[in-house]
Amino acid sequence: MQHSAPRHQDGSAGDANYGAIGKGYTSFRQPDPRIAELIEAALGEARTILNVGAGAGSYEPVGRTVTAVEPSQSMRAQRPAHLPVAIDAVAENLPFEDASFGAAMSTFSVHQWKNLNAGLREMRRVTRGPIAIMTCDPDELDRFWLHAYCPEVIAVEAARYPAIKDIAAALGGTTDVLPVPIPLDCSDGFNEAYYGRPEMLLDPAARLACSAWSFVSEDVVRRFEDRLGSDLASGRWEARYGYYRKQPTFAGSLKLIVNHI
């Protein structure tokens, strides 16, 4: 067990303070059913599921017994009424006995953990079966056109997301890395979800639901808004990237890491 590092006022345990940025999260970050199918399949036949860094409950499978762990009070409060109440705990110190769960999951969370290796070791300690982790490959973030408009945000994300090989090494056992195709109408509004809807990233509320934007300066954001807004108005974005508007899926940095003992 690890001692917990200092947490934000609302309990957020990572680098992002969801007490400040998380209030409208669920307006833009709804689980996408096609991505959910991939996660459900990765969890196998397990009936008891642990969700670490559970946030507002995205991608928690229905029809199974889910135990959710989420340190941020702001995010716990946004969980829909039909989901179980989340436990206030951190990945590095899970309050469960060894092998308590049939499977475990974590989505868009590992980059927030203070101690990645400790958190992953804890997940493996309490889980008998598969562990499914959805995250982004930091080496593939520049596939997205946002890199041309706001490289600062891409750099922030690349620095935060752990390398896939490091996740696999910490979990041990055998690991499969599955690319996750991002649908054009993806209902989960992370940055790459807007690959064919660039106007959405001009909405400050949509950006706020992507934590990387909280780490860049207001000057950087204004420059991004001015440049993208100008290119959309002039047709420059369309000329260069318009084909994305009709591309049914985007192969970006999103990955599903599935680990077995």
Side-chain angles (χ1 to χ4, degrees):
M1 297 282 182
Q2 302 287 319
H3 294 294
S4 296
R7 290 160 64 176
H8 294 278
Q9 187 172 355
D10 90 317
S12 296
D15 54 358
N17 180 5
Y18 282 93
I21 70 172
K23 292 182 173 59
Y25 188 87
T26 54
S27 298
F28 295 92
R29 300 298 298 270
Q30 290 295 318
D32 186 90
R34 292 146 295 191
I35 296 174
E37 284 181 10
L38 296 176
I39 295 171
E40 284 253 18
L43 295 172
E45 300 299 317
R47 306 313 305 164
T48 55
I49 311 293
L50 173 66
N51 187 12
V52 180
S58 287
Y59 301 109
E60 290 180 7
V62 297
R64 311 198 203 194
T65 302
V66 176
T67 299
V69 165
E70 171 52 52
S72 165
Q73 188 278 330
S74 304
M75 298 304 288
R76 293 197 304 272
Q78 293 185 66
R79 293 175 63 83
H82 70 276
L83 294 181
V85 174
I87 295 167
D88 179 5
V90 296
E92 297 89 343
N93 194 0
L94 295 173
F96 310 111
E97 298 297 323
D98 293 0
S100 294
F101 301 95
M105 59 182 284
S106 184
T107 64
F108 290 115
S109 176
V110 292
H111 60 289
Q112 304 266 7
W113 299 357
K114 297 284 190 188
N115 187 324
L116 176 73
N117 288 346
L120 293 173
R121 284 196 299 267
E122 277 286 270
M123 282 187 80
R124 181 35 78 201
R125 177 184 68 79
V126 303
T127 307
R128 301 185 296 275
I131 293 176
I133 294 177
M134 190 163 72
T135 187
C136 293
D137 185 338
D139 295 332
E140 297 182 3
L141 287 161
D142 58 3
R143 292 182 175 187
F144 182 31
W145 57 257
L146 182 59
H147 185 254
Y149 284 87
C150 197
E152 295 88 350
V153 159
I154 298 298
V156 162
E157 295 216 301
R160 295 171 80 215
Y161 281 111
I164 302 294
K165 63 178 176 57
D166 292 342
I167 296 173
L171 288 169
T174 60
T175 300
D176 297 317
V177 181
L178 311 176
V180 180
I182 302 166
L184 180 60
D185 60 348
C186 186
S187 56
D188 192 352
F190 50 94
N191 281 322
E192 286 178 318
Y194 301 129
Y195 72 89
R197 295 171 288 162
E199 295 82 3
M200 288 298 298
L201 284 175
L202 293 178
D203 182 341
R207 290 197 304 268
L208 202 59
C210 305
S211 60
W213 291 95
S214 67
F215 294 97
V216 296
S217 70
E218 290 183 13
D219 287 347
V220 165
V221 173
R222 279 196 298 270
R223 190 165 64 244
F224 162 75
E225 289 178 325
D226 290 347
R227 186 173 175 208
L228 180 57
S230 173
D231 280 8
L232 286 170
S234 71
R236 280 191 294 268
W237 187 93
E238 212 71 36
R240 181 173 292 182
Y241 303 111
Y243 62 92
Y244 281 128
R245 292 195 189 275
K246 295 182 179 179
Q247 185 170 303
T249 61
F250 176 60
S253 66
L254 193 60
K255 300 289 184 282
L256 185 62
I257 300 168
V258 187
N259 176 261
H260 301 271
I261 293 176

